[in-house]
Amino acid sequence: MDDQAVRERDARAYEAVYEAADFTELRRRYKNFVVPWTITFMAWYLAYVACCNWARGFMSHRIGDSHINVALIFGLLQFVSTFVIAALYGRFANRKLDPLAHGLNAKYKRERRR
């Protein structure tokens, strides 16, 4: 099979997947997870940066009798929140995205054989 025929076959297979209702649903589910969590994380991050710049008294407040202050706790919580969101996404993807993606992959492979 020549390159042009392969490209046309692949293009038809991609179009069939793109036009499938499952693909639209996959994109919808992905956006419904990613957009709110991205906005939430960015707001949390910008609040941290803003507090570090303009609420220095609050951020330098020591926790108990230690050298640990609010800024350090907030900074560590940035890492924690990143890992929590990643874990939530992994769980979400396994339950809600992967089944659709596997079906679309099978559809693509079927279309390529035609």
Side-chain angles (χ1 to χ4, degrees):
M1 189 177 281
D2 67 346
D3 287 344
Q4 181 65 25
V6 170
R7 281 194 297 271
E8 288 175 8
R9 181 192 67 204
D10 288 349
R12 283 192 306 272
Y14 279 118
E15 286 175 20
V17 169
Y18 180 77
E19 292 170 356
D22 282 352
F23 183 73
T24 303
E25 179 64 17
L26 179 67
R27 288 178 44 205
R28 186 191 67 76
R29 288 180 186 182
Y30 175 77
K31 286 180 190 176
N32 285 345
F33 182 90
V34 170
V35 171
W37 279 107
T38 300
I39 291 169
T40 300
F41 182 80
M42 290 305 297
W44 160 233
Y45 173 73
L46 292 174
Y48 170 67
V49 171
C51 286
C52 284
N53 283 316
W54 294 293
R56 291 186 180 172
F58 170 70
M59 295 300 271
S60 65
H61 180 76
R62 288 187 178 204
I63 307 297
D65 227 9
S66 66
H67 293 290
I68 297 172
N69 62 17
V70 173
L72 180 62
I73 299 297
F74 275 29
L76 291 173
L77 287 174
Q78 290 290 314
F79 287 102
V80 171
S81 62
T82 300
F83 288 111
V84 167
I85 293 169
L88 289 172
Y89 177 76
R91 188 170 162 225
F92 172 79
N94 287 335
R95 287 184 300 119
K96 300 288 186 177
L97 301 180
D98 288 351
L100 289 173
H102 291 308
L104 290 168
N105 189 38
K107 180 180 181 70
Y108 172 74
K109 288 178 180 179
R110 279 192 311 272
E111 292 293 328
R112 278 198 81 217
R113 283 191 223 122
R114 287 185 182 184

